[in-house]
Amino acid sequence: MLGVMDLQALLDDLAAEAAPFAAHGKVADYIPALAAVDPAHFGIALATMDGQLYGSGDWQTPFSIQSVSKAFSLALVLARDGESLWRRVGREPSGSAFNSLVQLEYEKGIPRNPFINAGALILIDRLLSLSGDSLGTLRTFLRAESGNANVDVDPEVAASEASHGHRNAALAHFMASCGNLGNPVETVLDHYFRQCSLTLSCGDLAKAGLFLANHGLRADGSRLLTRSEAKRINSVMLTCGTYDAAGDFAYRVGLPGKSGVGGGILAVLPERGILCVWSPALDPKGNSVAGVEALDRFTTRTGWSIF
Ligand code: GLU
């Protein structure tokens, strides 16, 4: 078992070693507000089950969490709705781009999994029906778990997403035409764009995700998910959480993870904690180049993968 000092020193080493890999990637440019982010940022944080928080680099800087948010919305829907969700969305890796239209049409408006954009729109639609306010429910949860009452939407990013959101609108309209959307398309899209624009730091995110490493128990000891539901979310993260590079991510990192095009990745170390990295330069599949590099090195050095 690594000691406290070792963990901090390890994160410092990983920050120094992995950050230069950002030079091999490119920031997401299809959302103008994300294209403006400095690709040189690198942050890494580890929240452990015993309440410790370690961080290095820009680990306290808030960034646009984008699709990392989808792991949390899946948890909030499963917690309220259980298995019935899977009638409306699958749980197989997509093998296609996260915003593919053609796959959705072939599959008659049932998204391949909850983490591609179409699947995330289903999560929001369901959470809207269950709670009346999908974004508000998620934001309240993230604030409580991270202990940061300032967690919020970046309105500039949300506006940028909305004005360049034609593809997401197409996905939502197509699902509505198939009868797989319960709320108005505009409402679902509004909550989706704002959800993707939530900003948290690596430290906030690592704390907020701890329930995934703790068999579904929240920070206050209450139960969000059954043990089995927490297992299932981690399983879907392992197989579908990192776009159509989930196989490569599993091969290199050996942990369930969820990435976003803002350059964040949340990785689950079952019964140990949550490791979060952020570096905005992405590989062609949409995963942070330096982030995956750091996670690969972390599990290689510690042996803390699930395998
Ligand atoms: N807001 C982004 C989109 O809709 C999220 C993509 C992502 O992080 O995977 O394209």
Side-chain angles (χ1 to χ4, degrees):
M1 181 79 176
L2 290 169
V4 168
M5 289 312 292
D6 299 328
L7 282 171
Q8 182 58 49
L10 175 61
L11 295 194
D12 290 339
D13 284 354
L14 295 179
E17 293 167 20
F21 280 77
H24 302 295
K26 208 164 127 315
V27 293
D29 55 7
Y30 72 104
I31 300 170
L34 294 184
V37 176
D38 178 358
H41 283 296
F42 181 94
I44 183 165
L46 172 66
T48 57
M49 302 298 300
D50 57 3
Q52 300 300 313
L53 183 63
Y54 308 92
S56 193
D58 301 322
W59 69 284
Q60 290 164 304
T61 307
F63 64 92
S64 184
I65 67 169
Q66 295 292 318
S67 284
V68 180
S69 65
K70 297 169 185 174
F72 294 94
S73 37
L74 176 58
L76 293 174
V77 171
L78 280 187
R80 287 169 169 74
D81 213 15
E83 294 284 306
S84 65
L85 171 71
W86 303 117
R87 287 200 288 271
R88 298 180 56 193
V89 59
R91 48 175 187 257
E92 290 294 342
S94 70
S96 299
F98 60 91
N99 52 10
S100 171
L101 290 159
V102 70
Q103 186 173 61
L104 190 64
E105 183 165 17
Y106 270 127
E107 299 184 352
K108 302 189 168 41
I110 308 287
R112 188 67 78 84
N113 68 62
F115 293 149
I116 55 174
N117 287 11
L121 291 164
I122 295 290
L123 294 176
I124 286 169
D125 183 52
R126 193 66 197 124
L127 198 51
L128 268 169
S129 300
L130 291 164
S131 71
D133 180 1
S134 174
L135 184 269
T137 303
L138 175 60
R139 182 172 47 199
T140 301
F141 179 79
L142 292 172
R143 285 178 178 170
E145 299 307 293
S146 66
N148 179 358
N150 296 321
V151 164
D152 218 335
V153 170
D154 179 332
E156 208 182 304
V157 176
S160 184
E161 296 223 19
S163 59
H164 290 76
H166 302 300
R167 190 171 270 266
N168 288 316
L171 294 169
H173 279 290
F174 184 72
M175 290 191 291
S177 81
C178 297
N180 198 12
L181 216 61
N183 294 280
V185 165
E186 293 67 29
T187 312
V188 174
L189 287 173
D190 171 51
H191 284 255
Y192 176 77
F193 294 137
R194 288 190 290 140
Q195 167 170 329
C196 290
S197 308
L198 283 162
T199 62
L200 281 86
S201 67
C202 290
D204 292 336
L205 260 183
K207 285 167 77 178
L210 272 175
F211 69 97
L212 290 168
N214 197 18
H215 302 295
L217 287 182
R218 294 183 61 167
D220 65 0
S222 65
R223 183 165 286 289
L224 175 70
L225 301 165
T226 65
R227 226 182 143 91
S228 158
E229 286 165 343
K231 174 193 78 175
R232 296 190 195 293
I233 293 175
N234 287 331
S235 302
V236 179
M237 285 173 68
L238 180 71
T239 53
C240 310
T242 43
Y243 307 112
D244 46 331
D248 193 56
F249 185 84
Y251 174 84
R252 290 188 61 191
V253 177
L255 294 172
K258 183 71 206 88
S259 54
V261 296
I265 308 176
L266 179 155
V268 183
L269 303 156
E271 297 182 357
R272 294 187 197 273
I274 297 289
L275 186 59
C276 258
V277 283
W278 171 51
S279 169
L282 309 177
D283 65 23
K285 297 286 170 84
N287 295 309
S288 167
V289 180
V292 176
E293 185 64 32
L295 294 175
D296 182 352
R297 287 172 186 248
F298 180 91
T299 50
T300 301
R301 299 246 188 114
T302 58
W304 291 359
S305 87
I306 60 168
F307 300 109

